[in-house]
Amino acid sequence: MDKRILMLGNEAMAHGLLENGCRVAASYPGTPASEILSALARLRTEHGIAMHAEWAVNEKVAFEIAYTGSMTGLRTAVSMKQVGLNVASDPLMSAAYTGVKGGFLIISADDPGPYSSQTEQDSRLLAMMAKVPVLDPSTPAHARELIAAGYEISEIFEIPVMLRPTTRVCHACQDVSPREIPPFLREADFRKSPTRWAATPAFRYELHRRLNVKLAAIAGWPRTAPFRANPDAAGPRAVVASGVAAAHAREILSESGLWDRIPLYHVVQPYPLHSDFVFHLLNAYEEVLVLEETTGVIEMQLLDRRRVRGKLSGAVPEAGELLPEIVEGVLAKFAGIDGETSDAQVPERGGRRPTLCAGCSHRSSFYAIKKAAPEGIYPSDIGCYTLGLNLGGVDTVLCMGAAVSQAAGFYQAYRLAGKSVDIVATIGDSTFYHAGIPPLIDAVVQGARFVLVILDNSTTAMTGFQPTPATGKGAAGEPTGAVDMEALVRACGVGFCKVGVPSRLPEFIGLLKEAIAYSHEKGPAVVIAREPCVMDRSRADRLPRPGKVTITDDCDGCRYCTTQFECPALLYDEEGERVSIDGILCTGCGVCLHVCPLDAIRKAPPEGTSP
Ligand code: SF4
Ligand code: SF4
């Protein structure tokens, strides 16, 4: 019997990539896709495979590196979350035209729900727009299998292929039997062809025409044709499903006694949808229900709207994850079964609201910003520090790098009215490298006046502690080059760039005030708030901590500390009407010592002594 290993979906995909000869892989971290590249880098080291695996500075760069590898004939891959595909959309649109040599997979992980994203967008729509085929896995094992099919299509038709797992596929665990990782069989061999690789508009027209021919052929390729999950079922109505919704539909139909009454078609390749399948479906059934996440991509390609039910017809919710209970309700209605489950509603989320960790230095930064610029405007960015909105330290969040351009936008808008406001923007270190540098250059050139606080914890904390360009370590911890952040900021033309430690609160507030004063006089000022992430156990250079704290009888229960500073280790006791410390959560950072207006938070006496 095959050896079976329980794998996370992202690990299963990493295995699939290596088993199929992937030799260049690049990514930018983003949940739910982050573990794909981490697992690849680990497996590369464990198996001694000659391959390049890197955390790139952003998704566009990652795409361009992996795509170029495929131009030399190697099999390559880029992975990212769906929002990252927006960043990489520029090369994506062109890559479909110029095509590939070695197989090239774009893994874009969608987040129906959304659980950790700004949008619920459907990568399959960008695949349609770019005219690249897309494969939609329903389980971790399926995702791994589709990698082989994806590389095959990519090489036969010389076209990039997208694999679109969703959060449930990326983060589910399934037992998978790993296959042998083949030896390195290909050498890079770039064949010059300027009319293709450097095509001017006249050649692009011809490339577009050829791309359409390829897509028509892929729409008939047998290996990715939809298949019948229940070949013995017969009836006037059929269900068409893809991705995780197909796995739910299979289970619900068989458990509800509908398995023999409603034919179920599993679509593996939602775009281009197989042309014979479309013809068959609309001829064989009176009604068709389409179950897919997140947008009606399959549904849009079924042009006879009178018989098709789905998101566009209102039969399936247009937003949110298609959870089993939702699919159950939709199927019951479609089958004409009355019952309690027939109302399709996306459930409300419950639970505690997300907050920054106890002892997180970002909390100190936001608190200091509010003290230094109480009437200020606070643009912010994408990262765990977005949670600074609970503390009143974040007013806007748009997309990666927009904190800097929005700060400039606020300045320019107020300048027109002759007004001067304090503008203090925040951005994480990794996000700054990703997309914060060009708008900072623009701000210098345009003379925008604001303070940019780079929250530098020297890691990409939210997605699992991937390195940043300043870390000096690669995807598997190997030494790499490193960028000097202060030198980079100064090279952008910024005249004020100083480093501060946020948990040294009074000092840090003073530094922010100095930066604000400078910004009003001269132009953008940068403060680098440098302190290791409290959760990053790999850091040896942790700051000395003052030790545990305690609450004295001076506490009058005003709740200032729990509402304005909101450390999860500070607990309000409703009965006692005062605050206490959760000794398990408290990291002893000591920042709250500076927060209580009554000086009721004090350093705890050493253990064994009485207070
Ligand atoms: S510890 Fe201080 S800030 Fe917190 S509730 Fe008591 S008095 Fe108020
Ligand atoms: S010392 Fe204060 S701010 Fe730091 S973790 Fe403990 S309770 Fe929170």
Side-chain angles (χ1 to χ4, degrees):
M1 200 173 129
D2 285 347
K3 182 177 156 200
R4 298 187 76 78
I5 300 176
L6 193 66
M7 286 184 202
L8 194 69
N10 284 341
E11 287 172 335
M13 284 184 265
H15 271 271
L17 288 168
L18 290 177
E19 289 158 6
N20 286 284
C22 175
R23 289 299 178 264
V24 176
S27 183
Y28 181 81
T31 307
S34 307
E35 298 85 0
I36 299 171
L37 193 99
S38 317
L40 267 176
R42 179 173 44 78
L43 290 167
R44 171 195 67 179
T45 309
E46 278 172 20
H47 293 265
I49 300 161
M51 83 169 289
H52 178 71
E54 74 162 69
W55 287 117
V57 72
N58 65 33
E59 296 83 358
K60 180 176 182 292
V61 172
F63 188 109
E64 288 159 356
I65 287 168
Y67 172 71
T68 306
S70 82
M71 286 165 63
T72 72
L74 300 187
R75 284 190 165 184
T76 68
V78 62
S79 55
M80 63 196 81
K81 69 181 295 175
Q82 90 283 15
V83 196
L85 190 62
N86 301 344
V87 180
S89 61
D90 211 2
L92 168 69
M93 298 296 154
S94 269
Y97 279 47
T98 45
V100 303
K101 273 292 171 196
F104 174 48
L105 288 188
I106 304 152
I107 305 180
S108 183
D110 283 1
D111 185 18
Y115 291 92
S116 60
S117 308
Q118 308 92 296
T119 64
E120 281 194 280
Q121 68 194 57
D122 192 324
S123 296
R124 300 175 307 163
L125 285 171
L126 269 179
M128 269 176 105
M129 188 172 165
K131 295 194 166 181
V132 302
V134 53
L135 306 177
D136 204 1
S138 54
T139 64
H142 193 211
R144 170 176 164 252
E145 279 164 29
L146 287 182
I147 284 169
Y151 273 135
E152 210 174 323
I153 298 173
S154 182
E155 290 187 344
I156 291 172
F157 298 98
E158 297 199 349
I159 192 169
V161 172
M162 184 184 289
L163 185 71
R164 195 285 299 236
T166 53
T167 305
R168 296 281 162 187
V169 173
C170 294
H171 288 170
C173 283
Q174 189 173 13
D175 56 324
V176 177
S177 358
R179 281 187 281 271
E180 197 66 19
I181 295 174
F184 190 75
L185 297 175
R186 300 184 190 176
E187 273 187 16
D189 180 17
F190 176 60
R191 302 285 169 98
K192 293 188 183 201
S193 173
T195 54
R196 175 178 179 185
W197 303 125
T200 50
F203 289 110
R204 293 271 166 162
Y205 170 75
E206 175 54 21
L207 290 175
H208 189 190
R209 204 191 55 74
R210 283 188 216 165
L211 175 58
N212 290 340
V213 173
K214 286 180 192 180
L215 285 170
I218 294 167
W221 202 57
R223 184 132 176 233
T224 52
F227 60 90
R228 269 284 284 274
N230 49 356
D232 297 330
R237 298 189 184 105
V239 172
V240 174
S242 75
V244 173
H248 293 332
R250 188 184 277 255
E251 208 170 293
I252 292 161
L253 284 178
S254 73
E255 281 175 5
S256 59
L258 295 169
W259 188 249
D260 297 327
R261 286 169 43 199
I262 299 186
L264 171 65
Y265 291 88
H266 187 157
V267 172
V268 174
Q269 180 183 285
Y271 177 80
L273 196 57
H274 278 64
S275 33
D276 288 351
F277 172 67
V278 176
F279 185 75
H280 164 72
L281 212 56
L282 296 177
N283 275 300
Y285 300 103
E286 288 169 16
E287 249 186 333
V288 173
L289 172 70
V290 185
L291 296 169
E292 58 187 322
E293 290 174 315
T294 306
T295 310
V297 170
I298 297 171
E299 199 181 343
M300 271 187 247
Q301 295 171 82
L302 300 173
L303 294 179
D304 186 347
R305 310 270 358 118
R306 289 164 302 173
R307 284 183 287 145
V308 178
R309 306 282 169 263
K311 289 172 183 287
L312 301 175
S313 78
V316 180
E318 282 192 274
E321 192 181 11
L322 286 187
L323 295 166
E325 54 270 34
I326 294 172
V327 174
E328 190 180 7
V330 172
L331 279 170
K333 254 189 183 166
F334 183 64
I337 300 171
D338 290 332
E340 288 172 8
T341 56
S342 61
D343 267 338
Q345 294 290 337
V346 178
E348 293 289 324
R349 298 260 182 94
R352 189 173 70 102
R353 71 172 182 167
T355 184
L356 294 165
C357 303
C360 172
S361 66
H362 299 335
R363 179 175 286 104
S364 323
S365 293
F366 287 119
Y367 187 79
I369 288 167
K370 284 194 301 175
K371 286 283 169 198
E375 303 299 321
I377 300 176
Y378 312 131
S380 192
D381 226 291
I382 309 290
C384 41
Y385 49 88
T386 306
L387 295 170
L389 64 91
N390 290 352
L391 302 163
V394 170
D395 290 327
T396 65
V397 177
L398 184 64
C399 62
M400 295 286 274
V404 191
S405 28
Q406 289 197 294
F410 281 122
Y411 167 72
Q412 302 296 2
Y414 276 90
R415 184 182 62 82
L416 292 176
K419 290 184 184 166
S420 168
V421 280
D422 292 346
I423 301 167
V424 185
T426 44
I427 192 169
D429 47 342
S430 190
T431 312
F432 174 67
Y433 292 119
H434 179 286
I437 299 165
L440 185 59
I441 293 171
D442 188 81
V444 169
V445 172
Q446 299 299 330
R449 296 181 177 192
F450 59 86
V451 175
L452 175 64
V453 181
I454 304 177
L455 302 165
D456 179 12
N457 56 16
S458 306
T459 187
T460 319
M462 189 170 68
T463 47
F465 306 108
Q466 292 82 10
T468 72
T471 313
K473 284 185 184 158
E478 72 282 11
T480 64
V483 168
D484 177 338
M485 184 183 282
E486 290 92 299
L488 178 59
V489 169
R490 289 201 185 94
C492 290
V494 175
F496 183 108
C497 176
K498 292 192 178 178
V499 180
V501 179
S503 65
R504 293 182 191 142
L505 199 57
E507 214 176 286
F508 192 68
I509 294 170
L511 175 58
L512 287 174
K513 285 182 176 167
E514 188 190 342
I516 292 165
Y518 175 95
S519 74
H520 282 293
E521 291 296 314
K522 298 191 172 160
V526 170
V527 170
I528 300 173
R530 185 165 287 152
E531 200 164 332
C533 172
V534 72
M535 300 301 284
D536 187 357
R537 308 284 176 221
S538 68
R539 294 291 296 267
D541 58 339
R542 295 174 160 277
L543 292 173
R545 299 266 163 177
K548 299 285 178 194
V549 296
T550 189
I551 309 284
T552 68
D553 291 342
D554 293 338
C555 172
D556 70 356
C558 70
R559 298 199 194 208
Y560 180 81
C561 58
T562 51
T563 55
Q564 298 300 306
F565 193 63
E566 213 190 48
C567 174
L570 294 166
L571 304 174
Y572 186 75
D573 171 8
E574 296 286 346
E575 278 180 17
E577 294 186 343
R578 47 173 296 185
V579 161
S580 62
I581 304 278
D582 182 330
I584 294 176
L585 288 181
C586 176
T587 66
C589 71
V591 180
C592 56
L593 298 176
H594 305 286
V595 168
C596 172
L598 295 183
D599 200 20
I601 309 178
R602 301 271 175 80
K603 203 172 157 183
E607 275 180 30
T609 61
S610 45

